[in-house]
Amino acid sequence: MLEDDSPPPDSPPGQARRNLTILILALAAMSVLYRLLHFTGRDHTSLLFIGIPTALALVAIQSRPRQTATGTIVRTIWIALCMSGILLNEGFVCILFASPLALLIGFIIGKVIDARRRNDRLGRQSMVLLGVALGVSSLEGAMPTWSFPREATVTVTRDVDVAADSIAPALARPMRFDRPLPRFFQLGFPTPRAELTGGVDAGTVRTVQFTHGHHGGALLLRVTERDSSHVRFSAAGDDSYIIHWLSWRDVNVRWTPLGENRARVTWTLRYRRRLDPAWYFAPIERYAVRLAGEYLIDAMADRGR
């Protein structure tokens, strides 16, 4: 009778194969879950950014039971994120900003599991509390009644060396994006290339073109209010990649003279946040919108000089 030369399941080669199999199954399950969320329109909710990392962590811990849960989970999530970045291509910026959240969730789950393995009383209690917290947090945005306020407003004010009566003509000219974008926007966000139309008369529609990998698009802004020191642009359409993160509402521009060749300019930008959880993505979006407002004021001042 021939002997089976294959290593037993608990030997290093057997354990390595088991680890690899579990990792592949975990990544495949993550891919299926992502496509399901995308198909149901929930790929901007906490089910994606909290639910999937939680599920991946729970599967990953089965692969190396003799090692610390924290190390195993963090390594597995890191590998999954790297592979996702390669496959998603132009969606890499989403992975970049979601990575700290996913790794944080994995780290916390790992620490609680390690504490439970040591039979710590605190570890057993924390496991229950963590399960409830992650379960509830994963539902944010998945249901209309389970989300935090999405409407947001950012106001940016700057004093510029431009005569106040030069601002309206500057706003009327098509926007140019010759100034270098802030480094934050160079991480992979959609890039504004040109504005095709100008004008600040009521009813005028302005078109700003964006590029993002193979995904083009344009933001349409309609002039809805206009007086001697104020112009309001309301969003009339957006098929750029920005719509994955937020929806523009309107942009309100006001200016007051401070002297012969100086004015105070205020841009108020209103938008609707589309990413959950709010505690994580809302501050990032506010920061990005503030940078955009500062850039637009500087670009407008360049045109007014």
Side-chain angles (χ1 to χ4, degrees), residues 16-17 23 43 55 70 137 170 197 215 243 249 264 291:
R17 286 198 296 269
L23 177 59
D43 53 338
T70 305
S137 299
T197 55
H215 186 107
I243 199 66
R249 293 306 195 197
R264 176 163 296 163
L291 284 180

Side-chain angles (χ1 to χ4, degrees), residues 5-249:
D5 294 331
S6 62
D10 293 333
S11 67
Q15 181 64 40
R17 286 198 296 269
R18 180 173 179 268
N19 295 344
L20 180 60
T21 300
I22 292 178
L23 177 59
I24 292 174
L25 292 175
L27 295 177
M30 185 185 70
S31 176
V32 171
L33 287 173
Y34 171 77
R35 294 180 185 279
L36 179 62
L37 292 176
H38 181 74
F39 179 77
T40 57
R42 292 183 171 86
D43 53 338
H44 299 119
T45 70
S46 293
L47 283 173
L48 173 64
F49 298 108
I50 293 181
I52 287 184
T54 299
L56 187 59
L58 295 179
V59 174
I61 195 56
Q62 305 301 319
S63 64
R64 296 183 178 184
R66 296 180 181 178
Q67 298 188 14
T68 65
T70 305
T72 299
I73 291 172
V74 169
R75 280 193 299 270
T76 303
I77 292 179
W78 180 250
I79 292 173
L81 291 170
C82 291
M83 294 183 65
S84 299
I86 295 172
L87 296 175
L88 291 179
N89 194 9
E90 56 195 33
F92 175 75
V93 66
C94 298
I95 299 299
L96 179 64
F97 283 97
S99 294
L101 177 59
L103 293 171
L104 174 64
I105 292 171
F107 179 81
I108 294 174
I109 292 175
K111 284 297 184 182
V112 172
I113 291 176
D114 285 333
R116 186 183 181 186
R117 285 177 172 177
R118 294 192 301 267
N119 293 321
D120 291 353
R121 180 180 177 183
L122 180 61
R124 292 193 297 271
Q125 295 174 344
S126 299
M127 196 68 184
V128 176
L129 295 176
L130 180 62
V132 173
L134 290 176
V136 172
S137 299
S138 297
L139 298 177
E140 183 182 344
M143 298 179 292
T145 57
W146 191 256
S147 62
F148 291 92
R150 298 185 177 278
E151 302 298 327
T153 301
V154 172
T155 299
V156 181
T157 299
R158 281 195 174 185
D159 296 343
V160 297
D161 296 324
V162 176
D165 56 6
S166 300
I167 293 178
L171 284 172
R173 302 188 189 101
M175 179 72 73
R176 297 181 61 183
F177 303 97
D178 300 332
R179 296 177 63 89
L181 291 172
R183 292 186 181 277
F184 183 81
F185 292 145
Q186 298 177 25
L187 296 174
F189 287 98
T191 303
R193 290 302 182 191
E195 186 176 21
L196 303 181
T197 55
V200 289
D201 294 331
T204 300
V205 176
R206 310 280 292 263
T207 304
V208 183
Q209 286 187 323
F210 287 85
T211 58
H212 186 63
H214 300 292
H215 186 107
L219 169 65
L220 305 181
L221 296 170
R222 177 179 286 107
V223 180
T224 53
E225 296 180 21
R226 166 79 166 93
D227 58 36
S228 59
S229 61
H230 163 236
V231 177
R232 181 188 296 275
F233 303 92
S234 298
D238 189 0
D239 61 356
S240 71
Y241 212 80
I242 295 175
I243 199 66
H244 286 75
W245 302 301
L246 59 85
S247 303
W248 291 111
R249 293 306 195 197

Side-chain angles (χ1 to χ4, degrees), residues 49 97-98 101 273 275-286:
F49 298 108
F97 283 97
L101 177 59
R273 174 180 53 84
L275 294 178
D276 295 300
W279 66 266
Y280 183 78
F281 286 108
I284 296 176
E285 291 192 359
R286 290 188 66 87

